[in-house]
Amino acid sequence: MAFSCSSILLLLLVLLSASWATSTSIQEDFIQCLDDNSEHVIPIFTVCAQTNSSFTSILNSTAQNLRCLMPSVPKPEFIFTPLNESHVQAAVICAKKLGIHLRFRSGGHDYEGLSYASQIETPFIMLDLARLRAINVDIDDNSAWVQAGATVGEVYYRISENSKTHGFPAGLCSSLGIGGHITGGAYGSMMRKYGLGADNVLDARIVDVNGKILDRAAMGEDFFWAIRGGGGASFGIILAWKIKLVPVPETVTVFTVPKTLEQGATKILYRWQQVADKLDEDLFIRVILQASKAGQKGERTVTTAYNALFLGDAERLLQVMNQSFPELGLTQKDCIETSWIKSVLYIAGFPSETPPEVLLEGKSLFKNYFKAKSDFVQQPIPETGLEGLWKRLLEEDSPLMIWNPYGGMMANISESAIPFPHRKGNLFKIQYVTSWFEGSKEANTKHMDWIRGVYDYMGAYVPSSPRAAYVNYRDLDLGMNHNTNSSFSEASVWGAKYFKGNFERLVKVKSKVDPDNFFRHEQSIPAVLDEA
Ligand SMILES: Cc1cc2nc3c(=O)[nH]c(=O)nc-3n(C[C@H](O)[C@H](O)[C@H](O)COP(=O)(O)OP(=O)(O)OC[C@H]3O[C@@H](n4cnc5c(N)ncnc54)[C@H](O)[C@@H]3O)c2cc1C
Ligand SMILES: *[C@@H]1O[C@H](CO)[C@@H](O)[C@H](O)[C@H]1NC(C)=O
Ligand SMILES: *[C@@H]1O[C@H](CO)[C@@H](O)[C@H](O)[C@H]1NC(C)=O
Ligand SMILES: *[C@@H]1O[C@H](CO)[C@@H](O)[C@H](O)[C@H]1NC(C)=O
Ligand SMILES: *[C@@H]1O[C@H](CO)[C@@H](O)[C@H](O)[C@H]1NC(C)=O
Ligand SMILES: *[C@@H]1O[C@H](CO)[C@@H](O)[C@H](O)[C@H]1NC(C)=O
Ligand SMILES: *[C@@H]1O[C@H](CO)[C@@H](O)[C@H](O)[C@H]1NC(C)=O
């Protein structure tokens, strides 16, 4: 069965009328409980109820997918914005005590809105970690402590402010919340050299189900393993990550070379599939595929844009390209030499000359209604397969695909080192996206149908058992928990896709650290009782 954030209108109307009557008292009880369980009185302005005129703007502030803000989607009874770690502890203790379902949000980029919307349970409350965003960089120690509510853009900026030759290998989009992002892996343009963000975590602070703060030593290695890639919100609330900084050269090179179908896109992309994972590890070339009008005449075509970061200067890049991928025809004038922090802005899509300080605003560059899916490719897709794909892309209003090369360090790390299992053998990952700008049910259905159709079509070109997926590209089409009691066999279906052989170990950790399944959502890791 297929679910979406907006497919439960009827159920919602029933639940909403029931929950209205009780929301004031839930809120009052919660505030009272917070005060009883915190060393200090909790300021009243940290709690914002549905009836408050600021509610929607706070809820909307970092919600990235407008599909999950549609009126039919259940909203939290109220939002609590903790100002420090002890507030988060009190929130867990009180939600448990009062039996209120809890969701929590760092950067709000969840593809299915699970950090601020709930399909399986109402009423619920939301903890917004946006005010916990301190960043402490320690260059001498090659590390930084970063609170969950900071965006990756802020992290990159603070590192570059301290050193021009340090960086961190996480996501390309600057508004991602570091809190949720690392829980699922966190790949970016340095993954072929250094692996994922989650591969470069040294320590963490987490609030567990008992409201205790645990660091790596206190939580133990199994628990610490699970939170680095096992997906958000199954094990506890991450307060902060201690990340390992990586070396970057003072000068890096970026480029974007577009090729349309008329310019031989099909043959070049076929070639890219054969070389992308084998290129020099300093080179990351992703391909961004779109269907749009090209040129004056306005004929629709497919554009494949080769968008790259090279950890070195243009001269060496041209040598590498000449040797490994001359078919792209890269020239000196395509190459932009810049600093690592400016390469972050370039790859994130900011207009050139935007000052790096924009990263401190932590704002998203765009918001729309969207649906996305993912695949991992292990054999090049033949040209005939690509041609069928072009036909489908040309049928959709705003289709987008992003193909991310693997290989390098990604192939060197074992499948079980952390829960993220997609390593050796993968040539590249595909992300499918369709987005739209109008919140009607018809638009929703039309675009959801389109993306499911493309995904079916592509099934012929990717491994099928399991058909792998990236947990940070959360996709409820793959299956979901239907109520408080998640079932192991139901969860195994999407669990195997996201985590392969690591799923069972995740279930074991979950059963140990949260046996009553307090931290749960539509795709949380199930806790299995001992006797089961
Ligand atoms: C425009 C866009 C670009 C993206 N680009 C990339 C990319 O380049 N690379 C990449 O790897 N991914 C990318 N992603 C996916 C992204 O990594 C995930 O959506 C990630 O979960 C976002 O984290 P967040 O904190 O912003 O999201 P949230 O919506 O706040 O949280 C996501 C999930 O984690 C849980 N969670 C949030 N905070 C915490 C916490 N403190 N402790 C425990 N659980 C928590 C939430 O409850 C939710 O289940 C992109 C997503 C979008 C929308
Ligand atoms: C937490 O916040 C309260 C305000 O509610 C403040 O009085 C207290 O000092 C803070 N505690 C810490 C550890 O920062
Ligand atoms: C509404 O919410 C804001 C922000 O949380 C808060 O400052 C304000 O006190 C709230 N107003 C009422 C009437 O609760
Ligand atoms: C919040 O987002 C919804 C959905 O896009 C929109 O209808 C509403 O106007 C927004 N409200 C505010 C205050 O931004
Ligand atoms: C590219 O490589 C060929 C040999 O493979 C060489 O003849 C040519 O000079 C090289 N071009 C550049 C720009 O390095
Ligand atoms: C990956 O392993 C290969 C083979 O051992 C090695 O040559 C290469 O340098 C490694 N790559 C990284 C990024 O560590
Ligand atoms: C969950 O399981 C418990 C114990 O097995 C049972 O009592 C309860 O009714 C179940 N709840 C739901 C919503 O299925």
Side-chain angles (χ1 to χ4, degrees):
M1 241 201 288
F3 286 82
S4 75
C5 310
S6 52
S7 64
I8 39 161
L9 182 61
L10 247 175
L11 177 66
L12 169 67
L13 288 175
V14 175
L15 290 172
L16 204 60
S17 51
S19 66
W20 264 113
T22 56
S23 73
T24 313
S25 62
I26 290 179
Q27 187 186 337
E28 278 165 5
D29 292 349
F30 187 77
I31 293 172
Q32 183 60 51
C33 177
L34 287 179
D35 282 339
D36 294 347
N37 284 282
S38 184
E39 284 168 40
H40 308 275
V41 173
I42 304 231
I44 190 76
F45 68 84
T46 59
V47 177
C48 183
Q50 267 187 13
T51 46
N52 185 316
S53 61
S54 306
F55 178 83
T56 324
S57 67
I58 295 176
L59 179 69
N60 285 18
S61 59
T62 60
Q64 182 67 24
N65 195 346
L66 299 183
R67 183 165 60 85
C68 306
L69 288 176
M70 285 167 78
S72 56
V73 179
K75 307 289 183 287
E77 294 298 302
F78 57 90
I79 298 169
F80 173 46
T81 306
L83 302 180
N84 61 34
E85 293 188 337
S86 74
H87 294 171
V88 180
Q89 294 177 276
V92 168
I93 291 166
C94 295
K96 204 162 92 172
K97 194 164 164 188
L98 300 173
I100 314 172
H101 182 50
L102 184 68
R103 295 278 163 136
F104 34 102
R105 179 166 86 177
S106 289
H109 282 56
D110 193 280
Y111 278 19
E112 302 279 7
L114 301 191
S115 52
Y116 52 91
S118 166
Q119 300 185 47
I120 53 171
E121 233 167 317
T122 50
F124 69 101
I125 60 178
M126 180 189 130
L127 203 67
D128 192 341
L129 299 168
R131 299 280 290 265
L132 295 180
R133 60 199 307 150
I135 298 170
N136 284 301
V137 178
D138 184 347
I139 291 296
D140 295 333
D141 187 48
N142 271 311
S143 70
W145 269 107
V146 181
Q147 280 191 308
T151 63
V152 298
E154 289 171 85
V155 177
Y156 299 153
Y157 181 86
R158 293 300 176 202
I159 295 170
S160 76
E161 196 181 41
N162 282 274
S163 162
K164 302 292 165 228
T165 54
H166 288 75
F168 184 64
L172 309 125
C173 161
S174 61
S175 54
L176 301 170
I178 197 87
H181 184 45
I182 288 185
T183 62
Y187 80 85
S189 51
M190 296 200 290
M191 69 192 272
R192 302 193 63 252
K193 177 99 173 183
Y194 299 117
L196 306 170
D199 294 322
N200 291 279
V201 169
L202 300 167
D203 203 338
R205 287 170 68 76
I206 189 168
V207 174
D208 76 358
V209 68
N210 299 314
K212 289 221 169 69
I213 295 179
L214 307 177
D215 65 3
R216 178 177 183 167
M219 76 181 92
E221 286 304 302
D222 266 356
F223 197 164
F224 185 60
W225 173 84
I227 59 176
R228 289 171 296 152
S234 283
F235 303 98
I237 305 180
I238 303 288
L239 294 169
W241 296 108
K242 184 183 185 185
I243 59 173
K244 184 171 93 192
L245 309 183
V246 301
V248 298
E250 261 178 69
T251 301
V252 304
T253 308
V254 291
F255 68 80
T256 305
V257 174
K259 297 283 178 197
T260 61
L261 293 185
E262 294 70 25
Q263 293 166 325
T266 310
K267 284 210 150 45
I268 299 172
L269 189 60
Y270 185 65
R271 183 71 192 144
W272 176 88
Q273 297 184 77
Q274 295 168 315
V275 301
D277 69 307
K278 298 170 195 75
L279 294 171
D280 188 306
E281 285 148 2
D282 287 331
L283 180 55
F284 169 89
I285 310 179
R286 63 172 179 164
V287 193
I288 300 170
L289 296 83
Q290 283 172 293
S292 54
K293 288 186 175 152
Q296 299 272 295
K297 279 183 243 144
E299 274 286 285
R300 265 188 127 224
T301 185
V302 173
T303 305
T304 55
Y306 293 79
N307 177 239
L309 170 68
F310 180 64
L311 297 169
D313 61 20
E315 193 186 333
R316 185 161 70 90
L317 170 61
L318 287 166
Q319 284 167 15
V320 169
M321 287 298 282
N322 187 31
Q323 235 170 46
S324 312
F325 191 21
E327 295 82 357
L328 189 63
L330 188 75
T331 65
Q332 177 79 50
K333 72 172 178 23
D334 298 317
C335 299
I336 304 167
E337 288 186 330
T338 187
S339 61
W340 175 73
I341 192 66
K342 288 190 178 161
S343 80
V344 165
L345 295 171
Y346 178 87
I347 299 273
F350 286 93
S352 61
E353 307 308 321
T354 306
E357 284 67 31
V358 74
L359 296 173
L360 296 178
E361 293 170 18
K363 291 231 173 66
S364 164
L365 280 179
F366 57 86
K367 277 191 192 190
N368 47 35
Y369 298 81
F370 73 90
K371 172 69 191 169
K373 304 175 89 64
S374 59
D375 259 326
F376 287 88
V377 182
Q378 303 197 334
Q379 298 288 331
I381 301 164
E383 289 185 30
T384 51
L386 296 177
E387 276 152 13
L389 179 60
W390 306 155
K391 221 177 83 198
R392 284 169 174 80
L393 290 177
L394 288 167
E395 283 164 10
E396 176 66 340
D397 301 338
S398 299
L400 168 68
M401 286 177 91
I402 303 179
W403 295 17
N404 273 294
Y406 270 56
M409 189 59 146
M410 289 304 287
N412 288 8
I413 297 174
S414 106
E415 277 196 14
S416 58
I418 62 169
F420 179 98
H422 315 290
R423 306 284 187 172
K424 204 174 174 179
N426 290 296
L427 304 180
F428 58 97
K429 177 184 65 199
I430 292 181
Q431 177 178 204
Y432 309 81
V433 190
T434 179
S435 53
W436 59 101
F437 295 92
E438 181 228 333
S440 72
K441 196 163 171 290
E442 293 70 31
N444 194 75
T445 307
K446 174 179 161 208
H447 299 294
M448 298 288 264
D449 286 351
W450 176 81
I451 200 164
R452 287 169 183 153
V454 181
Y455 186 72
D456 283 349
Y457 168 76
M458 292 294 283
Y461 304 105
V462 294
S464 60
S465 54
R467 185 167 183 181
Y470 177 34
V471 67
N472 262 353
Y473 290 164
R474 195 177 313 278
D475 178 3
L476 294 183
D477 291 350
L478 304 180
M480 58 185 238
N481 301 316
H482 292 282
N483 56 39
T484 324
N485 299 345
S486 33
S487 120
F488 176 77
S489 60
E490 265 182 346
S492 302
V493 176
W494 46 262
K497 293 172 188 292
Y498 289 149
F499 308 113
K500 295 194 174 175
N502 295 328
F503 180 63
E504 292 200 6
R505 183 170 172 198
L506 286 168
V507 174
K508 280 199 191 113
V509 176
K510 169 75 178 182
S511 307
K512 206 162 144 223
V513 307
D514 182 20
D516 296 328
N517 202 23
F518 173 77
F519 295 111
R520 62 180 179 266
H521 55 72
E522 289 75 355
Q523 284 186 342
S524 57
I525 305 292
V528 175
L529 302 172
D530 283 344
E531 59 266 32

